[in-house]
Amino acid sequence: MTATPGPEEAFDRRSSSPGSSSAVGQQGAEALEKEARLPLTGWQQEVEQGLRYGLEAAESIVDRRISTFSRGELPHYAGINTFMKAPYIEDVNRVGEFDVAIVGIPHDSGTTYRPGTRFGPQGIRRISALYTPYNYEMGVDLRESITLCDVGDIFTIPANNEKSFDQISKGVAHVFASGAFPILLGGDHSIGFPTVRGVCRHLGDKKVGIIHFDRHVDTQEIDLDERMHTCPWFHATNMANAPAENLVQLGIGGWQVPREGVKVCRERGTNVLTVTDICDMGLEAAAKYAIERATDGTDCVYISFDIDCIDAGFVPGTGWPEPGGLLPREALKLLELIVRNVPVCGLEVVEVSPPYDISDMTSLMATRVICDVMAHLVVSGQLPRKQKPAWLHEACNMNVDQKWR
């Protein structure tokens, strides 16, 4: 597969000599100039809409861009909790009108230890109000670059994984087929199977590689007699559209990697890098390895980001915390190097469990992952989409997976 044309400078570690134009502080200086080139159209439209829908402010308010009722980014503590205050689209038949669609999947019946990830979508949406749509280093303003909507949550069925999986696959397939880029808020990692199944239903004979950030392999066939959050990739890679040899697993290790899953990885030939591997290779080499393996013979790449791939000291609000994981900046850099250089078809962020969180720091990390990925897709020219991707098929194939039980 030909990688998506992207800025190769993501891998460029240019050396800088003292006094040269590329010396210390180059990124900061360049970011100042990038901001000056950004339009303000989206911001102005938001202000005008706020005044139209939310009434002009009281006469004592000097800044006349402020409305009586909060109808936009500001103030960050107000408003309805959609993701980054994106418009809520109650009619999901309209999702194709937007470049990106946020979808909540409040499912934690697949957990085998600490529940609570059913509240993950709520937690992520709530803290996402803290963010602006502009990133300083990248010089990207999402409000000026793409259209974003929030379609709310898929109706999952408590205590019934298989019915929830059916709901999830149908919902993901609908968003994916619309042409909107799906960003999925979990939920425990059992959703990895039905989300990929939903994608595969509209791939025709095309194939998808999976890049999986995690501390755990999640490749068991069953756990506690069901398809739990330890099992998504066994069943996803049973599908012809998602070959096991194109499953790349980054950050695996520690004391919570069941041997049943390790055996499956060995037998199916998945590609595993531990945190030590990544540190010893370097981030650039690890990213290139992931890209080569995930794109070999495939047409697009799906990113599954388990928040527990990051060291537990940074993300306490998760079901299976494991010390020794990636640092936040390492995980974010890997995402940059990968997303800018492969055709990405979807993103899920899973295992955020707000009941165990402290000061929303885990939910905030998930928000950062999502915003960074959107920005990398903009920088690499993948968003907004100029035309329908070649791997997206309108026809729905309901028989992509193997019958289970």
Side-chain angles (χ1 to χ4, degrees):
M1 176 180 64
T2 302
T4 296
E8 287 298 319
E9 62 267 21
F11 288 101
D12 182 13
R13 291 294 195 190
R14 291 171 291 178
S15 59
S16 303
S17 57
S20 71
S21 60
S22 56
V24 174
Q26 178 186 359
Q27 186 186 48
E30 289 181 347
L32 292 172
E33 299 305 315
K34 286 181 179 178
E35 191 280 331
R37 296 192 293 270
L38 290 173
L40 291 169
T41 308
W43 168 247
Q44 291 166 346
Q45 290 174 344
E46 182 176 298
V47 170
E48 291 169 3
Q49 180 173 294
L51 294 172
R52 189 165 63 251
Y53 292 169
L55 307 182
E56 291 188 3
E59 292 183 4
S60 60
I61 304 300
V62 176
D63 185 346
R64 301 311 296 174
R65 295 172 299 178
I66 293 174
S67 55
T68 299
F69 292 86
S70 173
R71 289 294 183 270
E73 176 192 340
L74 301 175
H76 290 282
Y77 53 81
I80 306 300
N81 284 132
T82 60
F83 186 81
M84 292 187 72
K85 300 188 180 178
Y88 169 56
I89 304 303
E90 188 169 15
D91 181 359
V92 296
N93 295 295
R94 293 183 51 212
V95 68
E97 299 173 14
F98 296 83
D99 297 316
V100 178
I102 302 294
V103 183
I105 306 180
H107 177 75
D108 64 3
S109 297
T111 54
T112 56
Y113 183 49
R114 301 199 308 196
T117 56
R118 68 179 60 186
F119 302 110
Q122 288 183 2
I124 295 169
R125 287 184 175 113
R126 183 175 62 251
I127 198 61
S128 74
L130 178 65
Y131 271 13
T132 77
Y134 165 67
N135 179 278
Y136 179 73
E137 298 98 322
M138 286 189 257
V140 171
D141 189 328
L142 296 174
R143 179 167 44 207
E144 307 297 336
S145 306
I146 58 174
T147 56
L148 173 68
C149 75
D150 192 323
V151 299
D153 294 343
I154 290 174
F155 196 139
T156 56
I157 311 301
N160 194 314
N161 282 342
E162 297 305 317
K163 288 183 179 180
S164 293
F165 291 171
D166 291 342
Q167 289 279 85
I168 294 165
S169 292
K170 182 172 182 179
V172 171
H174 173 80
V175 173
F176 185 75
S178 76
F181 183 88
I183 294 181
L184 314 172
L185 315 180
D188 69 53
H189 218 158
S190 69
I191 73 170
F193 161 60
T195 55
V196 171
R197 181 172 63 177
V199 167
C200 289
R201 286 178 178 175
H202 287 280
L203 287 182
D205 60 355
K206 305 298 184 182
K207 290 182 169 55
V208 59
I210 301 168
I211 297 182
H212 164 220
F213 290 77
D214 208 326
R215 291 292 278 152
H216 317 101
V217 289
D218 293 350
T219 48
Q220 294 172 235
E221 180 178 8
I222 60 170
D223 194 353
L224 305 178
D225 205 42
E226 296 291 339
R227 298 200 278 195
M228 305 295 277
H229 68 164
T230 48
C231 308
W233 309 127
F234 179 95
H235 301 282
T237 59
N238 275 342
M239 294 183 283
N241 298 97
E245 59 266 28
N246 299 118
L247 171 61
V248 182
Q249 302 176 276
L250 302 176
I252 307 303
W255 293 92
Q256 302 167 5
V257 185
R259 291 180 62 184
E260 300 97 314
V262 174
K263 180 174 183 287
V264 171
C265 290
R266 184 170 60 248
E267 291 174 347
R268 295 194 177 187
T270 71
N271 308 279
V272 178
L273 292 183
T274 66
V275 172
T276 299
D277 287 332
I278 293 169
C279 292
D280 288 349
M281 296 169 71
L283 298 177
E284 289 80 4
K288 287 182 177 179
Y289 172 90
I291 290 169
E292 289 169 2
R293 299 304 175 94
T295 61
D296 185 14
T298 64
D299 303 277
C300 55
V301 171
Y302 184 80
I303 306 289
S304 179
F305 194 96
D306 188 326
I307 206 71
D308 70 32
C309 74
I310 295 173
D311 187 88
F314 297 96
V315 288
T318 188
W320 277 96
E322 175 59 47
L326 295 166
L327 296 177
R329 63 173 174 264
E330 292 171 336
L332 294 173
K333 186 62 179 180
L334 283 169
L335 282 169
E336 175 191 344
L337 296 169
I338 291 168
V339 172
R340 292 193 183 194
N341 290 282
V342 299
V344 183
C345 66
L347 166 72
E348 66 184 19
V349 180
V350 300
E351 295 291 351
V352 173
S353 185
Y356 293 95
D357 208 358
I358 299 171
S359 298
D360 295 316
M361 59 195 300
T362 309
S363 296
L364 183 60
M365 187 69 231
T367 300
R368 178 63 190 263
V369 166
I370 294 165
C371 292
D372 274 26
V373 168
M374 286 193 287
H376 297 319
L377 291 170
V378 168
V379 170
S380 62
Q382 298 183 66
L383 287 177
R385 288 173 174 165
K386 298 175 179 61
Q387 59 186 12
K388 185 181 77 171
W391 34 261
L392 179 56
H393 285 237
E394 291 184 10
C396 182
N397 179 6
M398 295 293 291
N399 299 310
V400 292
D401 59 317
Q402 298 180 5
K403 183 175 177 59
W404 190 71
R405 292 188 175 175

